Amino acid sequence: MDYDKTANQIDSIGDELKQIGNSVSNVGRLIAGKGTKEVSDEKQGVALTRLMNRPIKNRAAHLQKNMDTVDRALEKLDQLSVRFTVEKEVEKGGRSSVKDKLSQMKAKTEQQKKAPEPDKAAAKKKEVCL
């Protein structure tokens, strides 16, 4: 915004210089007996102020382009974060973590190891009793 403000001030100074030049020119025309001429609005200010203002306007345009690029990147990040948030909620509701699954599998294998041992012991007792 500071670059735009500076550029606008330089443009207004250029317009004033252009108007002053036109007024001096009209005074010369009146002395010579010719009619006055109006200021044309084709170009802003005088050439000197346009040359001074060009780098400022270029810098302002460059900064605006960078801000637009950053805005687009932030929008993409927001979209990605929404997707990841939804996926995490699905995982929490329908899935358990890998550590939980591994601990459950380990508990099952331990139970299976313990369970056959009493069956073997009971089978041996039956054989001994017979």
Side-chain angles (χ1 to χ4, degrees):
M1 292 183 73
D2 288 338
Y3 283 110
D4 287 336
K5 184 178 177 182
T6 303
N8 289 337
Q9 287 175 344
I10 291 173
D11 283 341
S12 66
I13 290 170
D15 289 340
E16 290 173 8
L17 290 173
K18 183 178 179 181
Q19 184 64 37
I20 290 170
N22 188 50
S23 296
V24 170
S25 170
N26 281 338
V27 168
R29 286 176 186 273
L30 288 173
I31 292 174
K34 296 181 180 179
T36 61
K37 192 175 183 182
E38 291 296 318
V39 177
S40 66
D41 290 333
E42 293 174 10
K43 294 182 180 178
Q44 287 185 331
V46 293
L48 178 64
T49 58
R50 285 194 308 268
L51 288 174
M52 289 174 51
N53 215 6
R54 185 176 299 144
I56 294 171
K57 287 186 176 184
N58 287 342
R59 184 67 182 155
H62 180 71
L63 289 173
Q64 185 63 40
K65 182 180 174 184
N66 286 345
M67 288 181 357
D68 292 342
T69 302
V70 169
D71 286 341
R72 284 192 302 271
L74 287 174
E75 287 175 9
K76 287 180 183 179
L77 284 174
D78 287 341
Q79 292 171 355
L80 286 174
S81 68
V82 167
R83 280 190 19 210
F84 287 132
T85 303
V86 170
E87 288 177 6
K88 284 183 180 179
E89 289 176 3
V90 169
E91 285 180 3
K92 287 179 183 177
R95 299 180 185 174
S96 61
S97 70
V98 174
K99 288 181 181 179
D100 292 340
K101 286 184 179 182
L102 287 174
S103 63
Q104 289 173 358
M105 290 172 59
K106 186 177 179 180
K108 284 181 183 179
T109 55
E110 288 176 2
Q111 287 176 357
Q112 289 174 354
K113 287 180 182 177
K114 290 180 181 178
E117 290 175 2
D119 290 336
K120 290 180 182 178
K124 287 181 181 179
K125 284 182 185 178
K126 286 182 182 178
E127 288 179 12
V128 172
C129 292
L130 290 173

